[in-house]
Amino acid sequence: MLDHDAYKLVGIAEEDQKRFAHQRCSDLRAARLIERTGDRGVTPSGNTGYLCRITEEGKNFIASGGKTTQPTQGAKMPVDISKRVAQYVALRDLIKVKETEQKKELEKHKKCLEDLNSILLNHLNEIGGNSLSTDAGTVYKTEKKSAPLADPAAFMSYVVDNAAFDLLDRKANVTAVTEFIKQHGAPPPGVNFSTAFVVGVRRPDQVKQEKKND
């Protein structure tokens, strides 16, 4: 059946079907009430769409009185967590593959850009100029500065002894602040501390390996 057939089957009046148009077949498939047959059919608008059939769960839903229940806007459908985890892992793997391919593809272009940068910089140095205008664009020199620490202990000693705190970037160390909160029950003065949860997914073989290592 198509979406429109599903609407009729669950008792949604034709005039209300547009109001519930967000309840697509994909929602019903996610709830495992229907499944695709592999064939396609023609919608009332003349377009083609995948045909679906009612699953045993769908038949049971109808038999239990679901036929008279209209979906409400914004209602949440049951989630197949195992399916979502599999999708998460598959998509994560795909992104990793694409990023690796892109990185490899860009390497030669970045190398070429670096070579061009050297050519242009050498030319500006040879003519003793900071910029040069051409029909294709203007090339110019910019000075990039960096200050990595060769001896962090000596640097911090100097900063503290001379109160030269302007030599430091003003940023709290998250790990140290976390430990401070554990000991004192609150963050240091002037620090806004917050946490957020994100999802991580381990493959079944990774879980088995971790248990084996334990």
Side-chain angles (χ1 to χ4, degrees):
M1 76 181 82
L2 296 168
D3 289 1
H4 307 78
D5 301 317
Y7 296 151
K8 293 178 182 177
L9 187 60
V10 297
I12 300 179
E14 186 173 349
E15 60 270 18
D16 292 329
Q17 289 181 18
K18 288 185 179 180
R19 196 155 56 89
F20 296 111
H22 69 287
Q23 296 290 348
R24 309 295 296 173
C25 272
S26 58
D27 298 323
L28 299 176
R29 286 198 305 273
R32 294 184 292 188
L33 300 179
I34 63 173
E35 60 186 4
R36 284 182 176 175
T37 64
D39 299 322
R40 297 179 73 89
V42 180
T43 68
S45 62
N47 298 320
T48 60
Y50 283 105
L51 291 174
C52 295
R53 57 172 166 257
I54 302 175
T55 63
E56 287 302 317
E57 291 183 46
K59 293 177 182 178
N60 293 335
F61 175 76
I62 293 175
S64 66
K67 181 177 180 180
T68 59
T69 302
Q70 293 186 351
T72 57
Q73 189 167 1
K76 292 184 178 180
M77 305 296 282
V79 178
D80 186 337
I81 296 299
S82 180
K83 179 180 179 181
R84 297 308 179 210
V85 169
Q87 291 175 332
Y88 184 99
V89 172
L91 185 57
R92 183 179 62 188
D93 289 348
L94 177 62
I95 291 174
K96 184 176 180 179
V97 169
K98 293 297 183 181
E99 287 179 340
T100 300
E101 292 176 350
Q102 185 185 50
K103 182 179 180 180
K104 186 175 181 180
E105 176 65 21
L106 289 176
E107 282 179 356
K108 57 184 178 182
H109 299 303
K110 289 183 177 181
K111 178 62 171 60
C112 183
L113 191 64
E114 290 175 0
D115 293 341
L116 288 170
N117 180 81
S118 297
I119 293 173
L120 295 173
L121 182 58
N122 288 338
H123 181 72
L124 289 176
N125 290 335
E126 288 174 0
I127 65 175
N130 291 321
S131 65
L132 178 64
S133 180
T134 71
D135 293 337
T138 300
V139 57
Y140 58 92
K141 289 195 296 186
T142 57
E143 184 180 20
K144 291 186 177 180
K145 303 174 182 179
S146 63
L149 297 181
D151 189 337
F155 172 72
M156 287 305 302
S157 177
Y158 177 85
V159 168
V160 174
D161 292 344
N162 295 275
F165 298 107
D166 56 330
L167 294 176
L168 297 172
D169 285 332
R170 295 189 177 184
K171 181 180 178 181
N173 183 286
V174 175
T175 302
V177 170
T178 302
E179 290 301 318
F180 184 94
I181 293 175
K182 289 181 180 179
Q183 296 178 18
H184 302 279
V191 175
N192 290 325
F193 184 81
S194 64
T195 61
F197 290 97
V198 295
V199 167
V201 174
R202 292 191 295 272
R203 298 174 181 277
D205 55 341
Q206 290 177 313
V207 176
K208 291 180 181 179
Q209 185 61 42
E210 289 180 359
K211 290 183 179 179
K212 184 178 179 181
N213 293 337
D214 291 341

